[in-house]
């Protein structure tokens, strides 16, 4: 075994991979700094064709059902932060993403929202087959959830395609991808899994890709899994959890 393989093996056993330890260079000079990445750049990295192009959204009427998506916190945070890149972990039908996109639009701010979601639901979406808002709304087609297409349709109905880039991926891989390209969000919204270890990992992963001076925030403080994970992370990092309307917030020093 040569030295490089040995180092790789040791790091891997310690829970790292070379890509985690040494992310690739930024996609362009300055990219990854606040304000440097555009929707077109993100699209070019993720999708050979714009996912909204030619999508027959009229076949799916608007269905904006979501959770915590009409919170005044989105407006307040966006107007204060003026984010160029917003990262959302957990998009579902697009409620919160559309809310944030509308604020950017109304305020004529130039930001883009990267929506990271498997569109396969979280644990609670699969534990009650009679729940119309979760299991029922996954809209299975031969066993495979199709709620992603309702999200696409909702964005088109609101004419906000130019603000949003979907990334159908797990939160863990999404964070590694951001690190791979050296991309950082100015505002990161965590609303994926609500299980303690998952939330802890999401907060840990996305704190790393939060720009200096940025804010990481999330929903569902009333869920034990969320609260315990965020409190644990804040304690370990010596951070203070603050609150705005129904959201919890962690702010990174500039
Ligand atoms: C509560 S919903 C998001 C609600 C949304 N923010 C709104 O405004 O209505 C949670 C979403 O997180 C996604 N999700 C859960 N665990 C995930 C994971 N590990 N990676 C990516 N997405 C995940 C689910 O597919 C689901 O769409």
């Amino acid at each position: 075994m040569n030295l490089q393989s040995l180092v790789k093996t040791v790091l891997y056993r310690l829970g790292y991979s070379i890509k985690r330890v040494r992310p690739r260079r930024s996609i362009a000079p300055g990219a990854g700094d606040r304000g440097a990445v555009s929707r077109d750049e993100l699209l070019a990295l993720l999708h050979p064709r714009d996912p909204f192009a030619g999508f027959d959204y009229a076949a799916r009427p608007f269905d904006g059902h979501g959770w915590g998506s009409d919170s005044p916190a989105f407006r307040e945070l966006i107007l204060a932060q003026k984010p160029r890149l917003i990262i959302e972990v957990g998009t579902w039908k697009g409620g919160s993403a559309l809310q944030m996109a509308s604020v950017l639009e109304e305020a004529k701010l130039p930001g883009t929202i990267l929506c990271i979601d498997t569109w396969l639901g979280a644990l609670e979406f699969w534990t009650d087959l009679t729940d119309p808002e979760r299991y029922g709304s996954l809209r299975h087609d031969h066993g495979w959830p199709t709620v992603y297409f309702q999200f696409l349709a909702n964005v088109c109905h609101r004419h906000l395609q130019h603000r949003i880039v979907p990334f159908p991926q797990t939160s863990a891989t999404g964070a590694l991808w951001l690190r791979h390209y050296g991309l950082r969000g100015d505002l990161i919204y965590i609303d994926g899994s609500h299980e303690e270890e998952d939330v802890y990992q999401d907060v840990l992963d996305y704190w790393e890709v939060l720009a200096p001076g940025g804010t990481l925030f999330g929903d569902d403080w009333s869920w034990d899994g969320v609260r315990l994970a965020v409190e644990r992370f804040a304690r370990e990092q010596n951070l203070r959890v603050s609150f705005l309307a129904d959201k919890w917030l962690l702010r990174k020093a500039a």
Side-chain angles (χ1 to χ4, degrees), residues 99-113:
Q99 179 72 15
M100 292 191 278
S102 305
V103 175
L104 290 170
E105 198 70 5
E106 284 164 28
K108 297 187 171 40
L109 291 169
T112 299
I113 306 170

mmCIF file of all heavy atoms in Angstrom, residues 99-113:
data_model
loop_
_atom_site.group_PDB
_atom_site.id
_atom_site.type_symbol
_atom_site.label_atom_id
_atom_site.label_comp_id
_atom_site.label_asym_id
_atom_site.label_seq_id
_atom_site.Cartn_x
_atom_site.Cartn_y
_atom_site.Cartn_z
ATOM 1 N N GLN A 99 -42.458 30.682 -0.967
ATOM 2 C CA GLN A 99 -42.546 31.849 -0.086
ATOM 3 C C GLN A 99 -41.252 32.672 -0.185
ATOM 4 O O GLN A 99 -41.282 33.891 -0.349
ATOM 5 C CB GLN A 99 -42.766 31.359 1.358
ATOM 6 C CG GLN A 99 -42.865 32.421 2.403
ATOM 7 C CD GLN A 99 -44.182 33.184 2.321
ATOM 8 O OE1 GLN A 99 -45.127 32.739 1.673
ATOM 9 N NE2 GLN A 99 -44.229 34.344 2.930
ATOM 10 N N MET A 100 -40.121 31.994 -0.119
ATOM 11 C CA MET A 100 -38.827 32.707 -0.180
ATOM 12 C C MET A 100 -38.618 33.316 -1.568
ATOM 13 O O MET A 100 -38.133 34.444 -1.695
ATOM 14 C CB MET A 100 -37.686 31.748 0.187
ATOM 15 C CG MET A 100 -37.722 31.341 1.644
ATOM 16 S SD MET A 100 -36.235 30.482 2.207
ATOM 17 C CE MET A 100 -36.546 28.816 1.655
ATOM 18 N N ALA A 101 -39.008 32.577 -2.602
ATOM 19 C CA ALA A 101 -38.840 33.097 -3.969
ATOM 20 C C ALA A 101 -39.697 34.343 -4.165
ATOM 21 O O ALA A 101 -39.267 35.311 -4.816
ATOM 22 C CB ALA A 101 -39.224 32.017 -4.978
ATOM 23 N N SER A 102 -40.907 34.348 -3.588
ATOM 24 C CA SER A 102 -41.788 35.518 -3.731
ATOM 25 C C SER A 102 -41.184 36.737 -3.038
ATOM 26 O O SER A 102 -41.267 37.856 -3.553
ATOM 27 C CB SER A 102 -43.160 35.260 -3.099
ATOM 28 O OG SER A 102 -43.712 34.120 -3.642
ATOM 29 N N VAL A 103 -40.555 36.513 -1.891
ATOM 30 C CA VAL A 103 -39.932 37.649 -1.184
ATOM 31 C C VAL A 103 -38.784 38.216 -2.028
ATOM 32 O O VAL A 103 -38.664 39.431 -2.212
ATOM 33 C CB VAL A 103 -39.430 37.228 0.219
ATOM 34 C CG1 VAL A 103 -38.674 38.366 0.888
ATOM 35 C CG2 VAL A 103 -40.578 36.762 1.092
ATOM 36 N N LEU A 104 -37.958 37.330 -2.568
ATOM 37 C CA LEU A 104 -36.842 37.786 -3.415
ATOM 38 C C LEU A 104 -37.384 38.598 -4.589
ATOM 39 O O LEU A 104 -36.845 39.647 -4.955
ATOM 40 C CB LEU A 104 -36.059 36.585 -3.965
ATOM 41 C CG LEU A 104 -35.211 35.777 -2.966
ATOM 42 C CD1 LEU A 104 -34.701 34.500 -3.627
ATOM 43 C CD2 LEU A 104 -34.038 36.615 -2.450
ATOM 44 N N GLU A 105 -38.453 38.071 -5.165
ATOM 45 C CA GLU A 105 -39.045 38.703 -6.347
ATOM 46 C C GLU A 105 -39.581 40.097 -5.999
ATOM 47 O O GLU A 105 -39.261 41.076 -6.666
ATOM 48 C CB GLU A 105 -40.172 37.773 -6.816
ATOM 49 C CG GLU A 105 -40.642 37.992 -8.217
ATOM 50 C CD GLU A 105 -39.644 37.587 -9.280
ATOM 51 O OE1 GLU A 105 -38.574 37.034 -8.975
ATOM 52 O OE2 GLU A 105 -39.938 37.876 -10.447
ATOM 53 N N GLU A 106 -40.382 40.170 -4.941
ATOM 54 C CA GLU A 106 -40.998 41.446 -4.560
ATOM 55 C C GLU A 106 -39.940 42.477 -4.181
ATOM 56 O O GLU A 106 -40.066 43.657 -4.480
ATOM 57 C CB GLU A 106 -41.928 41.242 -3.356
ATOM 58 C CG GLU A 106 -43.255 40.587 -3.727
ATOM 59 C CD GLU A 106 -43.963 40.043 -2.488
ATOM 60 O OE1 GLU A 106 -43.759 40.590 -1.372
ATOM 61 O OE2 GLU A 106 -44.681 39.055 -2.663
ATOM 62 N N ALA A 107 -38.880 42.004 -3.519
ATOM 63 C CA ALA A 107 -37.835 42.934 -3.068
ATOM 64 C C ALA A 107 -36.806 43.191 -4.177
ATOM 65 O O ALA A 107 -35.836 43.915 -3.956
ATOM 66 C CB ALA A 107 -37.139 42.371 -1.837
ATOM 67 N N LYS A 108 -37.024 42.555 -5.319
ATOM 68 C CA LYS A 108 -36.104 42.710 -6.469
ATOM 69 C C LYS A 108 -34.665 42.373 -6.087
ATOM 70 O O LYS A 108 -33.713 43.048 -6.502
ATOM 71 C CB LYS A 108 -36.190 44.120 -7.054
ATOM 72 C CG LYS A 108 -37.571 44.454 -7.620
ATOM 73 C CD LYS A 108 -37.551 45.779 -8.342
ATOM 74 C CE LYS A 108 -38.812 46.106 -9.110
ATOM 75 N NZ LYS A 108 -40.082 45.759 -8.505
ATOM 76 N N LEU A 109 -34.541 41.328 -5.301
ATOM 77 C CA LEU A 109 -33.203 40.846 -4.915
ATOM 78 C C LEU A 109 -32.794 39.736 -5.886
ATOM 79 O O LEU A 109 -33.632 38.969 -6.345
ATOM 80 C CB LEU A 109 -33.227 40.311 -3.477
ATOM 81 C CG LEU A 109 -33.421 41.352 -2.384
ATOM 82 C CD1 LEU A 109 -33.709 40.681 -1.041
ATOM 83 C CD2 LEU A 109 -32.194 42.246 -2.272
ATOM 84 N N PRO A 110 -31.508 39.602 -6.161
ATOM 85 C CA PRO A 110 -31.080 38.666 -7.205
ATOM 86 C C PRO A 110 -30.810 37.219 -6.761
ATOM 87 O O PRO A 110 -30.061 36.519 -7.408
ATOM 88 C CB PRO A 110 -29.783 39.326 -7.699
ATOM 89 C CG PRO A 110 -29.242 39.999 -6.499
ATOM 90 C CD PRO A 110 -30.410 40.412 -5.645
ATOM 91 N N GLY A 111 -31.413 36.752 -5.692
ATOM 92 C CA GLY A 111 -31.053 35.425 -5.163
ATOM 93 C C GLY A 111 -31.653 34.240 -5.897
ATOM 94 O O GLY A 111 -32.632 34.349 -6.624
ATOM 95 N N THR A 112 -31.026 33.091 -5.668
ATOM 96 C CA THR A 112 -31.480 31.800 -6.212
ATOM 97 C C THR A 112 -31.688 30.840 -5.045
ATOM 98 O O THR A 112 -30.972 30.906 -4.049
ATOM 99 C CB THR A 112 -30.377 31.208 -7.125
ATOM 100 O OG1 THR A 112 -30.149 32.119 -8.188
ATOM 101 C CG2 THR A 112 -30.783 29.861 -7.694
ATOM 102 N N ILE A 113 -32.639 29.913 -5.209
ATOM 103 C CA ILE A 113 -32.895 28.917 -4.158
ATOM 104 C C ILE A 113 -32.580 27.526 -4.693
ATOM 105 O O ILE A 113 -33.130 27.104 -5.718
ATOM 106 C CB ILE A 113 -34.367 28.965 -3.706
ATOM 107 C CG1 ILE A 113 -34.735 30.395 -3.291
ATOM 108 C CG2 ILE A 113 -34.606 27.987 -2.555
ATOM 109 C CD1 ILE A 113 -36.215 30.603 -3.059
#
